[in-house]
C-alpha cells in the first residue's frame, strides 16, 4: 500500500495510522468498498474488520467520510471536510459514485497487482489514474478543459541504470468504438512502447467479446507496423491482452522473467581506507570457470523462456 500512497507522509507507527490510511486511500482512488479498504490496509499492517469498522464509524461521525450501499456491499468516499482535512490536491468529485462499478472493479485488479509486485526488489511506485492526470495537468497552461487519456493505473520499476520502466494497466469493462481504438488508443500505446524499450501495456478484461475485439485490433496493428519495419514486431510482445482468469498467472510470469526489471546489481569491489582494492585469490580457477559457465547457460535458458512472442496467426 505504501507504494500507492507514495505522495503522502504517513507515520505507520502512530495511533491514528488507520484513520490517515483510509482518508488517503479514498483521496487516491475516489471510492472504495469496505472489503477493499481492509485488503489494502492489510497489505501494509494488520487491521481487523472490527478495527476498520470502528475507524470508519469515527470518520463518518466527524463528517470526514460518507458511505452508501451497493447491493450487499458498503462503499465509502470523502466528504468536502475529509478532502480538506488532508489537504486534498486532486479535484473534489461532485458525484463520487459516477461510474461506480468501473472504479470498484479497477480497485480489485489493483489489489491483485499490488499483492504480486509489492516485494519486487526494483519496484519504485504504483500510480493511480488520478495521480497520472494530476501530474499531466499541473502547471500545464494547455490542460484547462482538456480530457486526458491515461491508463487505469501504472506500475513503475527501476532499470539497472536507475531509469524508470512503466507498466500501464487498462481494465476494459466496456468496449470503446472501433474508431477510438484505431485512431487514438492503440496508436498512443504503440508509440509509448516504441519510445520505451522496456515498457509494457497490459489490457485485462473479464469479457470474451471485448478480448476478441482487442486481439483483432492488435493483430491489425501488428501487420501494419511490421510491414513498415519488421523490427517493430517486438513491440507487440510487450502489448498484452489478458482474460480475468489468467491475469494473475500471466502477470506473475512476467514479473519473474521480464529482463528489463530482473537485473542484478553490479558487484562492487571492497575498498580499504588507503584506497587499495580487495582482490580475490583464485585458488580453484578451473572449478570457478566451470561454475560460471553453468550459471551463464542457466541465464541464457531463462532469457529464452522469458521472451513471449506475439504470433498473430494464433488468433
Amino acid at each position: 500500500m505504501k507504494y500507492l500512497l507514495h505522495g503522502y507522509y504517513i507515520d505507520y507507527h502512530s495511533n491514528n495510522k488507520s484513520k490517515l490510511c483510509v482518508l488517503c486511500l479514498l483521496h487516491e482512488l475516489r471510492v472504495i468498498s469496505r472489503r477493499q479498504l481492509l485488503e489494502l490496509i492489510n497489505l501494509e499492517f494488520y487491521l481487523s474488520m472490527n478495527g476498520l469498522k470502528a475507524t470508519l464509524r469515527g470518520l463518518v461521525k466527524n463528517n470526514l467520510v460518507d458511505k452508501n450501499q451497493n447491493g450487499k456491499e458498503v462503499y465509502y468516499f470523502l466528504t468536502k471536510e475529509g478532502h480538506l482535512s488532508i489537504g486534498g490536491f486532486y479535484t473534489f468529485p461532485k458525484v463520487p459514485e459516477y461510474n461506480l462499478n468501473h472504479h470498484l472493479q479497477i480497485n480489485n485488479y489493483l489489489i491483485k497487482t499490488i499483492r504480486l509486485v509489492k516485494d519486487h526488489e526494483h519496484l519504485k511506485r504504483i500510480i493511480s489514474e488520478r495521480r497520472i492526470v494530476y501530474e499531466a495537468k499541473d502547471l500545464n497552461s494547455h490542460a484547462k478543459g482538456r480530457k486526458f487519456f491515461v491508463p487505469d493505473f501504472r506500475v513503475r520499476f527501476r532499470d539497472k541504470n536507475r531509469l524508470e520502466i512503466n507498466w500501464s494497466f487498462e481494465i476494459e469493462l466496456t468496449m470503446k468504438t472501433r474508431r477510438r481504438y484505431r485512431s487514438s488508443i492503440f496508436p498512443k500505446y504503440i508509440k509509448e512502447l516504441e519510445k520505451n524499450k522496456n515498457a509494457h501495456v497490459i489490457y485485462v478484461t473479464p469479457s470474451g467479446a471485448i478480448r476478441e475485439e482487442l486481439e483483432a485490433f492488435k493483430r491489425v496493428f501488428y501487420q501494419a507496423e511490421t510491414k513498415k519495419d519488421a523490427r517493430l514486431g517486438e513491440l507487440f510482445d510487450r502489448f498484452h491482452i489478458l482474460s480475468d482468469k489468467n491475469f494473475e498467472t500471466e502477470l506473475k510470469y512476467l514479473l519473474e522473467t521480464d529482463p528489463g526489471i530482473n537485473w542484478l546489481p553490479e558487484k562492487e569491489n571492497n575498498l580499504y581506507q588507503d584506497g587499495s582494492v580487495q582482490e580475490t585469490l583464485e585458488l580453484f580457477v578451473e572449478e570457478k570457470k566451470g561454475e560460471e559457465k553453468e550459471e551463464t547457460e542457466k541465464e541464457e535458458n531463462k532469457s529464452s523462456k522469458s521472451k513471449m512472442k506475439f504470433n498473430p496467426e494464433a488468433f
Side-chain angles (χ1 to χ4, degrees):
M1 183 184 67
K2 65 183 178 182
Y3 290 105
L4 178 65
L5 300 181
H6 61 271
Y8 312 83
Y9 171 71
I10 298 174
D11 183 355
Y12 290 102
H13 301 287
S14 66
N15 293 327
N16 68 338
K17 62 180 182 293
S18 301
K19 172 186 170 182
L20 281 173
C21 285
V22 169
L23 291 171
C24 293
L25 283 169
L26 290 174
H27 182 242
E28 197 66 30
L29 301 179
R30 203 174 85 168
V31 57
I32 315 176
S33 73
R34 186 163 57 201
R35 176 188 58 80
Q36 290 171 344
L37 278 169
L38 186 69
E39 289 188 62
L40 284 163
I41 290 172
N42 275 278
L43 290 170
E44 196 62 41
F45 59 86
Y46 175 72
L47 181 67
S48 68
M49 178 57 86
N50 287 336
L52 176 62
K53 286 180 178 179
T55 299
L56 290 168
R57 276 196 301 269
L59 291 170
V60 171
K61 183 179 179 180
N62 291 319
N63 199 32
L64 298 175
V65 164
D66 204 353
K67 66 176 181 177
N68 216 329
Q69 195 91 12
N70 181 34
K72 294 181 179 180
E73 201 168 36
V74 180
Y75 60 89
Y76 294 81
F77 48 90
L78 287 180
T79 61
K80 189 71 174 178
E81 289 81 357
H83 183 83
L84 293 172
S85 74
I86 57 170
F89 41 86
Y90 300 145
T91 302
F92 181 73
K94 295 179 180 178
V95 186
E97 300 98 324
Y98 174 74
N99 209 4
L100 176 64
N101 182 58
H102 183 71
H103 285 288
L104 293 178
Q105 287 287 351
I106 289 173
N107 293 346
N108 286 334
Y109 285 103
L110 176 61
I111 291 167
K112 291 178 182 179
T113 302
I114 294 174
R115 279 206 189 98
L116 291 171
V117 305
K118 66 184 180 70
D119 295 322
H120 197 286
E121 61 180 326
H122 303 309
L123 175 65
K124 184 174 183 180
R125 63 188 54 151
I126 297 165
I127 312 168
S128 70
E129 179 183 21
R130 300 194 82 192
R131 182 76 196 188
I132 299 169
V133 173
Y134 173 73
E135 290 183 353
K137 286 185 173 183
D138 192 39
L139 297 179
N140 185 347
S141 59
H142 303 290
K144 190 174 182 180
R146 178 183 164 193
K147 286 188 176 182
F148 285 82
F149 169 69
V150 299
D152 290 317
F153 59 90
R154 183 173 280 156
V155 177
R156 181 168 290 168
F157 300 92
R158 295 182 182 90
D159 72 5
K160 62 183 178 181
N161 297 314
R162 314 298 288 177
L163 300 175
E164 294 175 343
I165 297 175
N166 289 325
W167 289 20
S168 300
F169 288 76
E170 286 282 1
I171 313 305
E172 205 75 347
L173 300 175
T174 54
M175 194 182 297
K176 313 297 188 296
T177 63
R178 291 188 170 187
R179 178 179 295 177
R180 194 168 174 187
Y181 284 123
R182 190 167 46 237
S183 305
S184 176
I185 300 175
F186 272 50
K188 174 187 177 296
Y189 277 133
I190 289 168
K191 186 176 180 180
E192 182 179 314
L193 292 172
E194 188 174 0
K195 183 180 177 182
N196 305 289
K197 66 176 183 177
N198 288 317
H200 285 260
V201 172
I202 301 170
Y203 267 87
V204 192
T205 178
S207 166
I210 294 176
R211 187 184 181 197
E212 183 180 5
E213 192 81 352
L214 293 173
E215 291 284 10
F217 276 110
K218 179 180 175 180
R219 185 164 60 250
V220 168
F221 275 93
Y222 173 86
Q223 292 168 347
E225 294 297 319
T226 53
K227 190 174 182 180
K228 292 186 290 185
D229 187 344
R231 291 172 296 180
L232 294 178
E234 179 273 334
L235 305 180
F236 295 86
D237 298 335
R238 295 182 281 115
F239 196 125
H240 313 275
I241 299 172
L242 309 178
S243 69
D244 175 70
K245 291 181 180 179
N246 69 1
F247 170 64
E248 290 173 275
T249 304
E250 293 291 336
L251 181 57
K252 184 180 179 183
Y253 179 78
L254 280 173
L255 288 166
E256 291 173 349
T257 61
D258 183 74
I261 63 170
N262 289 293
W263 50 273
L264 295 174
E266 292 183 7
K267 188 176 180 181
E268 297 180 0
N269 291 317
N270 295 323
L271 298 178
Y272 293 113
Q273 289 183 348
D274 62 359
S276 60
V277 181
Q278 178 184 4
E279 295 181 355
T280 303
L281 293 176
E282 298 190 4
L283 301 178
F284 306 98
V285 177
E286 294 301 322
E287 183 179 343
K288 185 176 179 181
K289 286 182 178 179
E291 290 175 357
E292 289 177 351
K293 183 179 180 182
E294 186 178 344
E295 286 297 319
T296 302
E297 289 174 352
K298 285 181 180 179
E299 286 297 321
E300 288 175 352
N301 290 335
K302 181 179 178 181
S303 177
S304 62
K305 288 180 182 178
S306 69
K307 294 181 179 178
M308 302 168 64
K309 297 295 181 183
F310 171 65
N311 180 10
E313 301 298 328
F315 302 98

